[in-house]
């Protein structure tokens, strides 16, 4: 990725020189399958006449550059994603015509051809630095401007941008170079946008279909709504439900922020081959098609879609109306949206246990990320664009949101609301830094937040809380303290407000019988209120999940948790307990087979879908990576046996039945398991309440491929009956699950040595590639992986490079040989790009943690 970076210092210098007023962008999308034409006029001023600067552009070719009426030679001024702008005037007009490339990487303007009907669908994805793949732009968030978009495209398409879609005007027919020569084409001329950053502009174009609606904003305006998807998927689009959640979010956020929705309309488009969950483009949110449910999905997935809908809506205020000045404050966007979307989901929708989901799903992500060598403060040091690309992680999202939750408790929710409202009103359509938000919160709460910010936002690492006590002969506490520790690398001791819960077995069920609130502000805090109290069966530090910290159980509490976690009615308390058991296992302090035993014993009673999803994933990790290699075969068989029993015992049609059935398909290893899978796929065995829809058939077929019971013929037959994008991705995963080195070799060649493979085919292939009952089939790919890294990094976009690295690193081997090979590459490539080294360092950390936990396997 040479020549596409931008440093913070360059951005600061450019922002000090330039003010941008308008972009006039005309996109001709009728130029065929490879390219489109971008015709852009930029109006901007500088405060130093005669100065030189640059504008960003990644283009196949530049046809014309005119600056203030003077033609510039592209061969002289265009190189390495920049156009040099010499001898600037006080007021400048820049005109550039360029040929731009469509992508299939999910960056810039992504082009997808639907295998179901040969229709073309386009969408833009610009965060972080990819609007420059579509038009010339000063690509940094603090150079805001107004954008005037004009789009020429096939007349039967829907074209969506940040402003309401205008009526198209006919302009003729497409030429021979187009996807469908001779079809009618039209022009859409959009009204200018509000002042905004370039990365949240958007163009979505194609024969999308859906539903329209509206709502009345708190200031009385009628806000148009739209929900759209591809024609071949629209039958599965539950647009009414999505609009209902959107209306609930609008009502909640306008009241919570005391600020009416600031834009003209709100469209949501579900886009093919989308890399992330969603993107907060102003008034034109793009979502992954994984949220269009063509087959049965977990309740966890349904809830996650609602959280995502509210997350992107929250961004309309935090991120879009007010935008960070530079990417070091990315957390101001993402943590805030993650926290407020959870509040909204819990308080304004039917998903009232959203905080349980947050504890089990989001915080487990944060704790893992915060223990990697690449951990960083929430307010990260972002030197350049490559840094920020790697920081869309569990720190920026989940840890930041956890800390915001603690901040709200610290300053008071009413004070937090009022401070945020002041912040929006003072900084609307502008850029801010951390201090701007803290200033308003301090003004409302009267608290000095500087020390709090330093401890929580400006340092990395996670603390661990423990109970330290003595008992008398009757089992009463004679002393009680809470201690907190930190790692040597990140020694910060932080203030924690916690609730200490007492749980006892009452009629066979764990029941909270007492609780005490405490502030843990140092390494050791005595809790006098607990002296004289009877030791409970289970003592739960951080009950109610108020702070961000790992927990350790005392021995009695640990044994109670392992034996009785499923008897507890409170879903949040169960999530905290499961999280503590997993952290203890990951740190090598609890034998992984004891964790596996607890899961297999108690997971049948877990009815919170996200917790169930997370714990089943942890079960798979423990069984495949954390158990010693010599124990894995027996453990794998025992896990699959139990999952099949749980699937049969679960209530028919329940979320639990679906999750256990899916987990069994993913864990089937023995001949008996594969016999069952074959019978299920053939319809010879039926499970009441568990119909085999298309996606589940793919899951079963992949299990058979991985087990050597099926191959290309069966995959081709299934694909012929499912000629869709989902089908192609499932086929790619199934092919990659081949149990032989030769089968893996073919997938490797198709992905690494073939140009132009789409992003989600690469992702699906990586998922299947790592599936191996005999991990030795991956051994030949250790050297191939490291030999490929420099080429991958130099020739692929960031998104694709990351997919290849994280998808095909042979982690299932997780042994000393893989550890040594990874460490050797890092030693030999000390001068490699920091972001590439970060990705490999994280993989090494996963191998080293697996080895640590394997040593505890007894």
């Amino acid at each position: 990725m040479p020549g596409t970076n931008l440093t913070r210092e360059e951005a600061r210098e450019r922002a000090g020189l330039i003010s941008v007023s308008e972009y006039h962008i005309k996109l001709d999308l009728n130029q065929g399958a490879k390219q489109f034409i971008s015709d852009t006029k930029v109006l901007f001023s500088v405060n130093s006449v005669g100065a030189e600067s640059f504008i960003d552009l990644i283009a196949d070719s530049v046809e014309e550059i005119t600056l203030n009426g003077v033609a510039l030679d592209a061969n002289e001024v265009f190189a390495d994603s920049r156009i040099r702008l010499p001898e600037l005037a006080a007021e400048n007009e820049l005109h550039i015509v360029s040929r731009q490339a469509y992508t299939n990487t999910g960056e810039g303007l992504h082009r997808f051809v639907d295998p179901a009907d040969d229709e073309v669908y386009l969408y833009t994805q610009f965060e972080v630095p990819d609007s420059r793949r579509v038009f010339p732009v000063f690509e940094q968030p603090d150079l805001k401007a107004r954008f005037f978009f004009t789009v020429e495209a096939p007349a039967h398409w829907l074209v969506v941008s940040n402003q309401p879609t205008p009526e198209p005007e006919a302009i003729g027919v497409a030429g021979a170079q187009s996807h469908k020569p001779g079809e009618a084409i039209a022009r859409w001329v959009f009204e200018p946008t509000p002042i905004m950053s370039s990365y949240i502009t958007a163009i979505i174009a194609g024969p999308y279909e859906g539903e329209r609606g509206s709502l009345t904003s708190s200031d009385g305006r009628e806000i148009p709504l739209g929900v759209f998807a591809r024609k071949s998927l629209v039958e599965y689009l539950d647009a009414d439900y999505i609009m209902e959640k959107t209306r609930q979010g609008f009502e909640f956020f306008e009241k919570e922020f005391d600020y009416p929705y600031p834009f003209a309309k709100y469209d949501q488009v579900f886009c093919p081959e989308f890399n992330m969950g969603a993107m907060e483009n102003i008034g034109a949110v793009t979502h992954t098609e994984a949220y269009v449910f063509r087959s049965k999905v977990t309740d966890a997935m349904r809830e996650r879609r609602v959280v995502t809908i509210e997350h992107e809506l929250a961004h309309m205020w935090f991120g879009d109306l007010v935008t960070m000045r530079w990417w070091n404050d990315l957390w101001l966007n993402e943590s805030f949206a993650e926290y407020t979307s959870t509040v909204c989901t819990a308080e304004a929708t039917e998903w009232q246990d959203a905080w349980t989901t947050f504890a089990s799903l989001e915080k487990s992500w944060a704790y893992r990320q915060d223990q990697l060598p690449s951990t960083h403060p929430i307010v990260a040091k972002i030197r350049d664009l490559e840094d920020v690309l790697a920081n869309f992680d569990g720190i920026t999202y989940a840890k930041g949101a956890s800390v915001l939750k603690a901040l709200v408790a610290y300053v008071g929710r009413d004070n937090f609301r009022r401070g945020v409202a002041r912040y929006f009103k003072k900084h609307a359509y502008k850029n801010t830094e951390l201090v701007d938000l803290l200033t308003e919160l301090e003004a409302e709460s009267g608290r000095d937040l500087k020390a709090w910010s330093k401890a929580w936002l400006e340092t990395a690492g996670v603390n661990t809380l423990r109970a330290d006590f003595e008992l008398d002969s009757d089992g009463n506490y004679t002393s009680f303290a809470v201690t907190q520790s930190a790692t040597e690398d990140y020694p910060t001791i932080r203030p924690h407000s916690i609730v200490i819960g007492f749980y006892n077995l009452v009629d066979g069920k764990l029941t909270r019988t007492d609780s005490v609130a405490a502030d843990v502000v140092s390494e050791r805090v005595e809790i006098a209120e607990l002296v004289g109290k009877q030791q409970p069966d289970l003592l739960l530090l951080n009950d109610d999940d108020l702070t961000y910290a790992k927990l350790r159980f005392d021995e009695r509490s640990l044994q109670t948790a392992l034996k009785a976690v499923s008897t507890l009615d409170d879903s949040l308390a169960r999530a905290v307990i499961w999280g503590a058991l997993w952290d203890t296992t990951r740190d090598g302090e609890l034998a992984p087979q004891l964790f596996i035993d607890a899961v297999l014993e108690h997971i049948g009673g877990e009815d919170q879908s996200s917790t169930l999803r997370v714990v089943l994933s942890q079960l798979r990790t423990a069984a495949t990576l954390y158990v010693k290699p010599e124990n894995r075969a027996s453990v794998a068989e025992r896990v699959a046996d139990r999952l099949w029993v749980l699937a049969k015992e679960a209530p028919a049609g329940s979320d639990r039945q679906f999750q256990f059935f899916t987990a069994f398909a993913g864990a089937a290893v023995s001949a008996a398991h594969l016999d069952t899978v074959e019978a299920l796929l053939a319809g010879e065995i039926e499970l009441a309440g568990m119909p085999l829809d298309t996606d589940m058939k793919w899951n079963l077929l992949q299990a058979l491929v991985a087990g050597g019971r099926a191959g290309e013929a069966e995959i081709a037959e299934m694909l012929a009956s499912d000629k869709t994008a989902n089908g192609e991705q499932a086929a790619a995963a199934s092919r990659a699950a081949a149990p032989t080195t030769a089968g893996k070799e073919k997938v490797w060649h198709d992905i690494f040595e073939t140009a132009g493979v789409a992003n989600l085919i690469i992702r699906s292939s990586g998922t299947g590639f790592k599936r191996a009952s005999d991990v030795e089939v991956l051994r030949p790919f250790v050297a191939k992986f490291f030999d490929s890294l420099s080429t991958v990094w130099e020739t692929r976009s960031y998104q694709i490079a990351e997919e290849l690295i994280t998808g095909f690193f042979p982690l299932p081997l997780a042994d000393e040989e893989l550890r040594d090979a990874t460490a050797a590459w890092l030693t030999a490539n000390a001068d490699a790009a920091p972001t590439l080294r970060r990705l490999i360092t994280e993989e090494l950390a996963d191998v080293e943690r697996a080895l640590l936990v394997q040593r505890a396997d007894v």
Side-chain angles (χ1 to χ4, degrees):
M1 286 164 272
T4 60
N5 209 352
L6 174 74
T7 69
R8 184 180 185 182
E9 287 306 310
E10 288 176 316
R12 182 183 287 122
E13 180 179 335
R14 188 164 62 174
L17 174 68
I18 288 175
S19 297
V20 192
S21 57
E22 296 178 4
Y23 291 88
H24 296 256
I25 301 157
K26 183 171 75 172
L27 303 178
D28 180 353
L29 306 180
N30 300 296
Q31 296 297 309
K34 301 295 185 182
Q35 294 180 325
F36 59 97
I37 293 176
S38 175
D39 186 329
T40 302
K41 181 175 68 174
V42 189
L43 305 180
F44 64 98
S45 61
V46 301
N47 57 23
S48 178
V49 174
E52 178 176 303
S53 190
F54 62 93
I55 195 167
D56 305 287
L57 180 66
I58 297 175
D60 278 1
S61 64
V62 176
E63 311 294 319
E64 176 186 342
I65 306 174
T66 304
L67 176 61
N68 299 328
V70 177
L72 303 180
D73 186 346
N75 292 324
E76 294 182 2
V77 299
F78 176 48
D80 288 340
S81 77
R82 297 180 180 186
I83 294 176
R84 184 167 55 85
L85 304 176
E87 297 293 326
L88 293 170
E91 299 294 332
N92 299 273
E93 179 175 311
L94 174 65
H95 181 213
I96 298 174
V97 179
S98 57
R99 284 192 172 272
Q100 306 294 131
Y102 292 113
T103 75
N104 65 353
T105 67
E107 303 153 299
L109 184 54
H110 185 100
R111 185 179 188 272
F112 168 84
V113 181
D114 192 338
D117 56 17
D118 199 40
E119 291 282 11
V120 174
Y121 293 87
L122 309 175
Y123 66 87
T124 55
Q125 173 57 36
F126 289 159
E127 191 174 38
V128 176
D130 286 325
S131 61
R132 58 186 173 161
R133 295 182 184 272
V134 175
F135 51 86
V137 58
F138 297 105
E139 185 81 278
Q140 56 192 79
D142 58 345
L143 286 178
K144 289 188 169 185
R146 297 184 188 276
F147 293 81
F148 298 67
F149 283 109
T150 298
V151 177
E152 296 179 357
H156 71 287
W157 282 12
L158 171 70
V159 180
V160 172
S161 187
N162 306 99
Q163 292 294 92
T165 298
E167 286 297 319
E169 53 187 85
I171 58 173
V173 297
Q177 78 284 357
S178 71
H179 185 69
K180 294 181 179 179
E183 70 178 344
I185 59 175
R187 177 184 295 123
W188 288 258
V189 181
F190 288 85
E191 291 296 316
T193 69
I195 296 171
M196 61 187 294
S197 298
S198 59
Y199 77 91
I200 41 180
T201 58
I203 297 291
I204 306 110
Y208 291 94
E209 295 181 355
E211 294 185 19
R212 297 185 184 274
S214 66
L215 59 80
T216 303
S217 179
S218 60
D219 62 2
R221 290 177 300 137
E222 194 74 6
I223 306 296
L225 305 176
V227 178
F228 307 103
R230 285 185 286 133
K231 283 197 301 183
S232 62
L233 271 185
V234 76
E235 65 178 294
Y236 306 109
L237 182 66
D238 47 347
D240 289 343
Y241 180 83
I242 292 165
M243 278 197 265
E244 176 188 294
K245 299 307 110 180
T246 302
R247 291 187 179 100
Q248 290 170 341
F250 261 81
E251 182 178 359
F252 179 86
F253 289 130
E254 289 192 330
K255 181 178 179 181
E256 189 78 3
F257 301 155
D258 190 25
Y259 197 108
Y261 176 69
F263 305 115
K265 55 93 176 182
Y266 197 73
D267 289 327
Q268 297 175 84
V269 188
F270 293 81
C271 298
E273 298 180 333
F274 200 77
N275 284 323
M276 303 173 294
M279 178 63 201
E280 68 269 20
N281 313 304
I282 285 178
V285 171
T286 43
H287 291 275
T288 174
E289 283 185 343
Y291 288 146
V292 180
F293 305 137
R294 72 169 192 161
S295 296
K296 184 177 177 64
V297 298
T298 63
D299 289 345
M301 185 65 163
R302 294 182 180 279
E303 181 186 14
R304 187 68 232 171
R305 180 176 65 168
V306 173
V307 174
T308 301
I309 289 168
E310 309 305 356
H311 178 109
E312 305 310 322
L313 181 55
H315 270 310
M316 296 299 119
W317 288 266
F318 222 110
D320 292 3
L321 175 66
V322 182
T323 312
M324 75 241 145
R325 187 173 306 283
W326 178 246
W327 297 102
N328 58 303
D329 281 322
L330 175 65
W331 81 279
L332 276 176
N333 285 9
E334 300 303 344
S335 303
F336 186 91
E338 196 71 8
Y339 165 73
T340 56
S341 63
T342 304
V343 178
C344 177
T345 301
E347 297 183 8
T349 79
E350 72 272 29
W351 301 96
Q352 295 178 3
D353 62 350
W355 284 115
T356 298
T357 293
F358 184 85
S360 59
L361 185 63
E362 299 300 312
K363 292 185 82 170
S364 64
W365 178 27
Y367 292 143
R368 176 189 177 274
Q369 191 81 47
D370 215 3
Q371 295 174 85
L372 289 170
S374 57
T375 188
H376 56 84
I378 295 172
V379 181
K381 292 182 179 178
I382 302 296
R383 300 162 297 185
D384 53 32
L385 293 178
E386 288 189 6
D387 273 356
V388 68
L389 286 167
N391 273 344
F392 285 83
D393 60 16
I395 304 297
T396 298
Y397 283 77
K399 181 180 179 180
S402 302
V403 169
L404 274 182
K405 181 182 180 184
L407 174 61
V408 172
Y410 184 59
V411 301
R413 184 161 171 189
D414 287 342
N415 291 329
F416 184 79
R417 281 193 189 106
R418 288 192 295 269
V420 167
R422 287 167 57 116
Y423 174 81
F424 289 139
K425 290 165 187 172
K426 181 182 289 188
H427 300 289
Y429 304 102
K430 298 175 184 176
N431 296 88
T432 60
E433 297 174 335
L434 168 63
V435 65
D436 298 308
L437 176 62
L438 296 184
T439 295
E440 304 310 321
L441 296 179
E442 285 179 338
E444 286 296 335
S445 68
R447 288 185 177 270
D448 184 345
L449 297 178
K450 296 179 183 63
W452 181 92
S453 174
K454 185 172 182 61
W456 280 109
L457 303 178
E458 301 168 45
T459 59
V462 57
N463 301 119
T464 301
L465 303 181
R466 293 178 172 84
D468 183 23
F469 55 81
E470 294 180 349
L471 301 170
D472 63 19
S473 58
D474 295 323
N476 298 317
Y477 291 119
T478 58
S479 68
F480 192 101
V482 176
T483 67
Q484 68 165 307
S485 58
T487 64
E488 183 177 341
D489 290 339
Y490 301 102
T492 303
I493 297 297
R494 300 178 177 90
H496 301 270
S497 294
I498 64 171
V499 170
I500 303 170
F502 279 43
Y503 288 84
N504 286 291
L505 284 164
V506 179
D507 297 328
K509 298 182 68 173
L510 267 179
T511 304
R512 186 158 93 166
T513 55
D514 199 359
S515 64
V516 172
D519 288 326
V520 181
V521 296
S522 58
E523 290 182 287
R524 180 183 181 87
V525 173
E526 302 289 337
I527 312 296
E529 299 96 312
L530 298 187
V531 174
K533 289 183 180 288
Q534 179 81 28
Q535 181 187 25
D537 293 323
L538 185 146
L539 182 83
L540 186 58
L541 302 177
N542 199 27
D543 204 3
D544 297 338
D545 197 38
L546 296 181
T547 196
Y548 173 83
K550 297 197 300 179
L551 308 179
R552 287 293 182 268
F553 291 116
D554 62 84
E555 185 57 31
R556 177 171 178 166
S557 296
L558 175 62
Q559 294 307 316
T560 301
L562 291 171
K563 294 175 182 176
V565 60
S566 61
T567 69
L568 183 57
D569 286 336
D570 188 295
S571 67
L572 180 56
R574 290 198 309 272
V576 174
I577 291 170
W578 279 120
L581 290 173
W582 179 241
D583 283 332
T584 308
T585 303
R586 288 188 78 244
D587 288 347
E589 298 176 27
L590 178 67
Q593 291 196 57
L594 290 179
F595 176 81
I596 290 169
D597 290 344
V599 175
L600 297 181
E601 174 68 23
H602 295 290
I603 201 63
E606 182 54 65
D607 61 3
Q608 209 283 337
S609 183
S610 293
T611 301
L612 181 58
R613 174 187 173 191
V614 169
V615 175
L616 285 174
S617 175
Q618 293 165 346
L619 170 67
R620 183 172 181 82
T621 298
T624 58
L625 288 182
Y626 291 171
V627 170
K628 287 181 178 178
E630 59 267 28
N631 297 333
R632 283 182 194 160
S634 61
V635 169
E637 188 164 353
R638 181 161 60 93
V639 167
D641 285 344
R642 179 60 177 160
L643 289 171
W644 178 235
V645 170
L646 289 169
K648 291 188 291 184
E649 292 178 348
S654 67
D655 181 78
R656 278 181 286 169
Q657 181 192 52
F658 177 66
Q659 293 212 46
F660 294 141
F661 189 93
T662 304
F664 166 72
V669 289
S670 71
H673 299 150
L674 295 172
D675 288 344
T676 300
V677 172
E678 278 187 324
L680 286 164
L681 189 56
E684 298 167 1
I685 296 177
E686 294 185 0
L687 205 58
M690 192 66 244
L692 296 186
D693 56 33
T694 302
D695 289 345
M696 186 56 73
K697 288 179 180 178
W698 277 115
N699 287 337
L700 295 174
L701 179 59
Q702 187 179 141
L704 294 177
V705 173
R709 299 282 188 94
E712 181 56 39
E714 290 82 2
I715 295 170
E717 182 181 359
M718 181 85 80
L719 185 58
S721 67
D722 184 23
K723 192 179 177 182
T724 65
N726 298 62
E728 290 183 344
Q729 291 158 24
S734 298
R735 291 187 181 104
T740 64
T741 296
K744 303 288 187 189
E745 181 70 49
K746 184 179 186 310
V747 173
W748 183 278
H749 177 272
D750 291 345
I751 297 301
F752 277 79
E753 299 171 24
T754 304
V757 181
N759 53 342
L760 291 198
I761 296 296
I762 293 174
R763 182 180 297 175
S764 299
S765 298
T767 300
F769 184 82
K770 288 183 176 179
R771 184 163 181 171
S773 55
D774 178 8
V775 297
E776 285 304 311
V777 301
L778 300 177
R779 187 72 63 187
F781 299 96
V782 175
K784 289 174 72 73
F785 178 86
F786 291 110
D787 289 345
S788 74
L789 284 180
S790 62
T791 299
V792 164
W793 196 255
E794 290 169 4
T795 62
R796 305 295 185 106
S797 71
Y798 176 83
Q799 182 64 45
I800 297 302
E802 183 182 37
E803 295 283 3
L804 290 169
I805 291 167
T806 60
F808 287 83
F809 181 81
L811 180 62
L813 290 167
D815 58 11
E816 288 84 357
E817 184 176 335
L818 179 60
R819 177 199 62 197
D820 294 345
T822 310
W825 185 91
L826 288 166
T827 299
N829 293 272
D831 58 348
T835 307
L836 172 58
R837 286 183 55 82
R838 169 177 168 162
L839 292 171
I840 302 304
T841 298
E842 290 181 348
E843 298 291 352
L844 175 60
D846 283 342
V847 176
E848 291 175 334
R849 185 171 290 275
L851 292 172
L852 169 71
V853 185
Q854 287 168 24
R855 289 193 288 272
D857 183 33
V858 294

